[in-house]
Amino acid sequence: MFATSALFTDRREAGRRLAKAVAGLGLSDPIVLALPRGGVPVALEVALALRAPLDLLLVRKLGAPGHEEYGIGGLVDGAHPQIVLNDEAMAIIKPPPGYVEAETQRQLIELERRRKAYLGSRQALPVKGEIVVIVDDGIATGSTITVALRALRKAGAARVVLAVPVAPPDTMDRLREEADGVVCLATPEPFGSVGQHYVSFGQTSDQEVVDLLAAAAAGRHAG
């Protein structure tokens, strides 16, 4: 996607700029978690700058019965996957007994498939007691990242910092209540879409995710 008034050249350039801002927080031994796939190129630059381990944070929507696009909650990958239910949606939908458990198992299978595709047999980094920086290439509505932030808290992370290049101002106002710290380089209004703020915003492939994770590991080892 191309734009004439874009804020960032591409995800890697946005990541380098974001890394400088996050480094200014002076975090002690953080873990960087990327939302795949687009968040991985951004998070790589942050992880390299902080000399921090990079891992993925996979999030799957728990869909309503017969309406899978309507989320009644989310399932977040990790050493111990976390379920975060939307109480308002649950009250409206009133799923039948056993539905949430069955839907959770279905999404757990998909989470495991995706993690194996990206990381092979490596297990998720434990976040309990850790400082975690969660990174994406941008935020629109904030629903997915909200689930992720709440799950990290539930998993016992000591501090959760959200870092993104761009997001709408009203979304960031809401997310500041969910995170211990927020770094956002730009909050343009009107916002439009995340992609319009990048000159180059092509889809990140699965193979790119694998390669970027390997580059993060190699860079940290060299550092």
Side-chain angles (χ1 to χ4, degrees):
M1 183 179 292
F2 296 89
T4 57
S5 58
L7 297 166
F8 309 103
T9 302
D10 56 22
R11 293 181 177 92
R12 295 290 293 270
E13 186 262 343
R16 288 189 288 272
R17 289 167 58 182
L18 188 63
K20 291 180 180 179
V22 176
L25 298 178
L27 303 175
S28 178
D29 297 323
I31 292 171
V32 177
L33 298 181
L35 267 68
R37 289 174 294 194
V40 181
V42 183
L44 170 65
E45 301 296 339
V46 176
L48 290 175
L50 300 180
R51 295 186 177 179
L54 174 62
D55 201 357
L56 303 180
L57 189 64
L58 299 166
V59 183
R60 294 292 296 170
K61 181 190 299 180
L62 299 180
H67 300 278
E68 292 185 1
E69 290 306 308
Y70 184 84
I72 58 174
L75 178 67
V76 181
D77 184 39
H80 302 285
Q82 298 286 336
I83 301 169
V84 179
L85 295 177
N86 183 320
D87 293 337
E88 182 179 351
M90 287 286 288
I92 293 171
I93 298 299
K94 297 182 176 65
Y99 175 81
V100 171
E101 291 78 6
E103 174 69 357
T104 298
Q105 288 303 312
R106 189 170 72 88
Q107 297 302 340
L108 274 172
I109 292 170
E110 179 61 17
L111 280 182
E112 182 63 18
R113 186 195 69 80
R114 292 190 179 203
R115 174 163 281 279
K116 284 183 176 179
Y118 294 137
L119 296 168
S121 60
R122 181 164 78 79
Q123 296 300 304
L125 292 174
V127 300
K128 186 175 182 179
E130 302 288 346
I131 297 172
V132 178
V133 181
I134 182 169
V135 179
D136 204 355
D137 55 11
I139 297 172
T141 65
S143 57
T144 299
I145 204 76
T146 297
V147 169
L149 290 167
R150 291 178 181 177
L152 288 171
R153 285 192 182 282
K154 190 176 177 182
R159 184 179 179 190
V160 181
V161 175
L162 171 62
V164 293
V166 63
D170 57 337
T171 297
M172 291 312 301
D173 287 343
R174 293 195 304 272
L175 290 174
R176 285 188 179 92
E177 299 177 4
E178 302 284 347
D180 297 305
V182 169
V183 176
C184 184
L185 300 181
T187 53
E189 183 67 45
F191 182 78
S193 66
V194 171
Q196 76 181 55
H197 302 292
Y198 288 81
V199 174
S200 177
F201 198 69
Q203 188 178 65
T204 303
S205 69
D206 286 347
Q207 187 58 52
E208 284 179 279
V209 170
V210 173
D211 293 344
L212 290 167
L213 290 169
R220 185 164 179 259
H221 179 72

